Amino acid sequence: MISLNLIQDICEYLTYKELTCLAQACKKYQRIVYSSKLFKKEAIRLFMGNLDLYQTYDEYTLYPKLVKQENDSSSLQWKSLLDSHFEIKIGWKQLAGRVLNKNDIEQLYCILLEEFKNPAIPIPRLKAEYFSSNYQDLIVIGDSIFLDSYKENQNSNSIMQALNSQDFLEEFSSDSQIQMLNYAIQYFWSPSFDSTNSPWILKFYSLIYQMISINCKFAYSRIKCYSGEDLLDEYTIIWSAFSAAMQNLADFLDPLVQSLNNIRNSIYKTKPKFFKLYNLMNKIWKEEVFKKLEEEITENIIFLWRRIRSSDNDSGINLLIKSIEFIVDHSVDEESLLYKNHTKLFTAEPYKHINENIMEETKIYYQKLETTIENLQSIIDRDIRILKLAFLPLTQKKFERLAYYKLQQAISSHLSKEISEFSISTTPYCNERLLNDYLYSPIGAFLFQQEMSVHKVKLFISYGLSKNTYLSFFKIYNNGPDKILEVYKAQDQEIEAKAKRCGFPFENLITGQTADSGNFSFENIAII
């Protein structure tokens, strides 16, 4: 009689098909297979390779988080993913025929599977700090900029040559095929009909969609195994890998996408919006992964922000930076990306939701905070430093204004007490020019609001300028919210000018217009 432990050890080496057959042998084996994590391990082996390149390193420890606490997950959930995957694999085999032979189909399937499993880090196309992630870089170069070396590789690829062949193009030769082309595009955005009896080209697009979808469903199941900061860490790793795959596949399948767009342009009198593979992949990811986790992700980012704020070191800052980066990735498109650093015009979800939560959290925190002015200044300086590393200027501006209002209130309260005890008989006037600079500044306006005479205000300013502590209070008060607004206004105007040079003035964003494809070009982004 074979022991249960030995059977479980043997099962560790079985494939999905072998596990399925074993589970059908008897109830005993079925319980062993379904009660363990065998299907989960097989799914991870099949869908996920070595993603060490995409790890989030902690700036404080200089190491990635090596141990994460996994939650229990249903064996049936993982088996369902494997079932769907093998159904897709059968669908690919059935595509072999006039356009792509059996070897081409097998090669294409393996390339797609491997690209999702072990995506290579894309070659940097645009070295600009303005666009911080692979996905944002892809949006910028997606319209027009391609590497010559990669094009040469594509031209020598038999699959790409087949997809540009006359046999392939003849799939669109009749009116019915033209209709199917239109349906194929619509299918990518709303796959609500059965493509079983449809033409080859629609089956082909359907399988690409399903490959993307099943990998996103796996990503969701994998990320859902974790909670708290571990969930954020796993999300950043898998999203970084997926966005790398997005960029690599956009290159690999570019001839197919370009042929499709060219045919559409020849059919329609009005120029339709270009189909782009990365838009499709991002759409599927948001539906299958992000939207299902959005509430938990938001909550975890808030908790991470609280932990970093209350900590004496910077542990966790890199995770916060990466988390906000993927939130921005899910918030931008070709047009709004140009305005992501604009403090008024960038109001896209889900970043807007994160921004509102951070500001509400900050408001409550500073309302409850009771400390000295010097310590308050130190806290605010550290908060602003972290915010500028992780968040967009929209959040930075609102945070700085809120924080400095709190600082001004603390200074006002302190100075009001000092004014009540101030003796005017012991203080001479200071330099007249310096005195006037402060007299006609925000601190001077505050002192006049205390029902002080001009003479007493001048004496108090002179007294304050002779004390280093008061001098720093005066400078902080004068560099408050109004100065912050001036700085960010200048930055916003510069962004608007740069976007206009790219062919997309900010008026279009306000009115909801799309960029004119004849004028809009990211090639001008070098000026940013």
Side-chain angles (χ1 to χ4, degrees):
M1 187 74 174
I2 303 177
S3 68
L4 290 177
N5 289 338
L6 181 57
I7 295 173
Q8 287 176 342
D9 289 342
I10 293 172
C11 287
E12 293 283 343
Y13 299 94
L14 300 183
T15 65
Y16 161 75
K17 287 185 177 180
E18 291 167 341
L19 287 171
T20 303
C21 291
L22 182 64
Q24 293 172 350
C26 67
K27 289 184 178 180
K28 176 184 176 181
Y29 290 162
Q30 186 182 59
R31 283 195 298 270
I32 292 173
V33 171
Y34 281 90
S35 62
S36 61
K37 297 181 179 179
L38 296 173
F39 285 121
K40 177 181 177 180
K41 288 182 178 178
E42 179 64 9
I44 292 173
R45 183 193 67 78
L46 182 65
F47 288 108
M48 179 180 281
N50 184 354
L51 301 183
D52 287 348
L53 291 172
Y54 302 97
Q55 288 276 4
T56 303
Y57 286 80
D58 192 300
E59 194 176 62
Y60 186 71
T61 62
L62 300 180
Y63 292 100
K65 193 167 187 177
L66 299 179
V67 180
K68 300 176 189 173
Q69 185 65 43
E70 289 196 39
N71 305 321
D72 292 333
S73 54
S74 169
S75 183
L76 289 173
Q77 168 190 338
W78 295 99
K79 184 179 183 302
S80 176
L81 283 172
L82 291 167
D83 289 341
S84 299
H85 169 76
F86 282 99
E87 287 176 10
I88 294 170
K89 187 175 183 180
I90 292 170
W92 277 107
K93 290 181 178 179
Q94 293 173 347
L95 275 183
R98 185 164 60 103
V99 179
L100 293 175
N101 61 38
K102 183 178 178 180
N103 290 335
D104 287 336
I105 288 292
E106 182 66 25
Q107 184 183 354
L108 179 58
Y109 167 79
C110 290
I111 289 173
L112 293 174
L113 184 64
E114 184 63 21
E115 192 55 60
F116 282 116
K117 183 178 179 180
N118 290 301
I121 293 180
I123 301 171
R125 323 289 188 82
L126 191 71
K127 295 180 179 179
E129 293 182 3
Y130 195 86
F131 306 109
S132 56
S133 70
N134 281 335
Y135 179 68
Q136 293 171 40
D137 184 60
L138 177 58
I139 290 178
V140 175
I141 56 86
D143 289 329
S144 57
I145 305 173
F146 296 94
L147 295 177
D148 292 337
S149 60
Y150 207 102
K151 274 191 171 182
E152 290 174 5
N153 292 335
Q154 287 178 334
N155 292 333
S156 63
N157 189 306
S158 61
I159 298 176
M160 290 299 102
Q161 289 176 350
L163 291 177
N164 278 316
S165 69
Q166 188 61 33
D167 287 338
F168 174 76
L169 296 178
E170 284 176 0
E171 290 289 324
F172 306 101
S173 60
S174 67
D175 291 339
S176 61
Q177 297 291 3
I178 290 173
Q179 287 182 338
M180 293 316 299
L181 168 65
N182 196 36
Y183 285 141
I185 294 292
Q186 293 176 3
Y187 175 87
F188 273 141
W189 304 108
S190 181
S192 57
F193 59 89
D194 184 12
S195 62
T196 306
N197 298 317
S198 299
W200 185 93
I201 186 62
L202 188 53
K203 292 178 183 177
F204 181 80
Y205 291 146
S206 173
L207 286 168
I208 291 177
Y209 188 104
Q210 291 175 51
M211 284 284 284
I212 299 168
S213 180
I214 194 66
N215 278 275
C216 288
K217 288 175 180 176
F218 165 76
Y220 169 75
S221 298
R222 181 64 181 155
I223 295 167
K224 193 61 180 171
C225 291
Y226 301 97
S227 58
E229 291 182 25
D230 288 346
L231 182 144
L232 290 179
D233 188 55
E234 193 69 14
Y235 192 105
T236 61
I237 293 170
I238 297 180
W239 167 251
S240 296
F242 185 81
S243 59
M246 197 184 298
Q247 187 160 330
N248 295 333
L249 288 175
D251 280 335
F252 178 74
L253 295 174
D254 177 68
L256 170 65
V257 175
Q258 292 295 333
S259 295
L260 188 149
N261 283 322
N262 290 337
I263 294 168
R264 288 192 82 208
N265 285 340
S266 67
I267 295 171
Y268 298 102
K269 293 181 180 179
T270 58
K271 198 170 185 180
K273 191 171 183 179
F274 282 115
F275 167 71
K276 296 165 187 173
L277 186 65
Y278 62 82
N279 280 339
L280 169 67
M281 294 179 70
N282 189 39
K283 172 183 177 290
I284 298 174
W285 175 279
K286 286 197 284 188
E287 290 176 351
E288 296 289 353
V289 185
F290 180 73
K291 288 182 180 178
K292 296 177 181 178
L293 296 169
E294 183 174 6
E295 186 175 339
E296 192 172 356
I297 285 172
T298 301
E299 185 177 295
N300 291 333
I301 288 176
I302 298 300
F303 280 135
L304 176 59
W305 167 243
R306 288 176 185 168
R307 181 180 73 76
I308 293 172
R309 169 179 268 165
S310 61
S311 174
D312 293 332
N313 58 57
D314 288 350
S315 175
I317 287 182
N318 272 3
L319 179 57
L320 180 66
I321 293 171
K322 287 291 184 180
S323 298
I324 298 303
E325 186 178 278
F326 73 67
I327 291 292
V328 174
D329 284 349
H330 299 332
S331 303
V332 297
D333 56 22
E334 289 90 338
E335 286 87 20
S336 62
L337 177 58
L338 289 167
Y339 289 95
K340 76 166 192 174
N341 286 334
H342 199 290
T343 62
K344 291 182 180 179
L345 297 183
F346 189 78
T347 56
E349 295 288 3
Y351 186 84
K352 181 181 178 182
H353 183 58
I354 290 288
N355 175 68
E356 290 170 350
N357 277 272
I358 288 291
M359 294 315 302
E360 184 62 28
E361 174 73 18
T362 300
K363 186 177 180 180
I364 295 171
Y365 174 78
Y366 280 117
Q367 283 176 346
K368 295 180 178 179
L369 186 62
E370 294 183 5
T371 185
T372 62
I373 296 175
E374 291 81 1
N375 193 39
L376 178 61
Q377 177 70 66
S378 177
I379 292 170
I380 289 174
D381 288 344
R382 181 173 184 267
D383 285 351
I384 290 174
R385 177 177 64 84
I386 296 170
L387 276 163
K388 287 188 174 182
L389 288 172
F391 292 86
L392 296 181
L394 167 68
T395 307
Q396 297 168 22
K397 173 186 172 182
K398 291 185 176 181
F399 183 93
E400 286 186 56
R401 291 187 69 196
L402 182 62
Y404 276 107
Y405 272 127
K406 171 70 177 179
L407 196 54
Q408 279 190 338
Q409 288 174 354
I411 293 173
S412 298
S413 177
H414 179 79
L415 292 181
S416 294
K417 183 179 178 181
E418 292 294 317
I419 288 169
S420 65
E421 300 173 357
F422 177 66
S423 172
I424 65 173
S425 60
T426 59
T427 306
Y429 278 3
C430 67
N431 177 276
E432 187 70 23
R433 184 176 179 181
L434 183 61
L435 180 61
N436 286 334
D437 287 343
Y438 281 94
L439 189 65
Y440 301 106
S441 71
I443 190 65
F446 163 74
L447 294 175
F448 281 119
Q449 290 173 1
Q450 308 306 306
E451 298 182 354
M452 298 170 66
S453 66
V454 175
H455 177 59
K456 188 173 182 179
V457 168
K458 288 184 176 182
L459 289 175
F460 188 81
I461 291 175
S462 299
Y463 172 74
L465 293 178
S466 67
K467 305 289 183 181
N468 287 334
T469 302
Y470 277 31
L471 178 59
S472 68
F473 288 173
F474 289 175
K475 289 181 178 179
I476 292 170
Y477 199 99
N478 284 344
N479 292 324
D482 293 338
K483 289 286 186 180
I484 294 170
L485 284 177
E486 291 178 10
V487 172
Y488 282 106
K489 183 179 180 180
Q491 292 179 6
D492 288 347
Q493 290 173 343
E494 185 178 356
I495 291 168
E496 290 166 17
K498 289 173 179 177
K500 190 173 183 179
R501 289 198 291 270
C502 286
F504 193 74
F506 71 95
E507 292 88 351
N508 290 19
L509 196 64
I510 295 173
T511 58
Q513 297 176 29
T514 58
D516 181 353
S517 57
N519 297 323
F520 180 65
S521 174
F522 275 111
E523 291 181 356
N524 296 327
I525 214 65
I527 59 179
I528 286 183

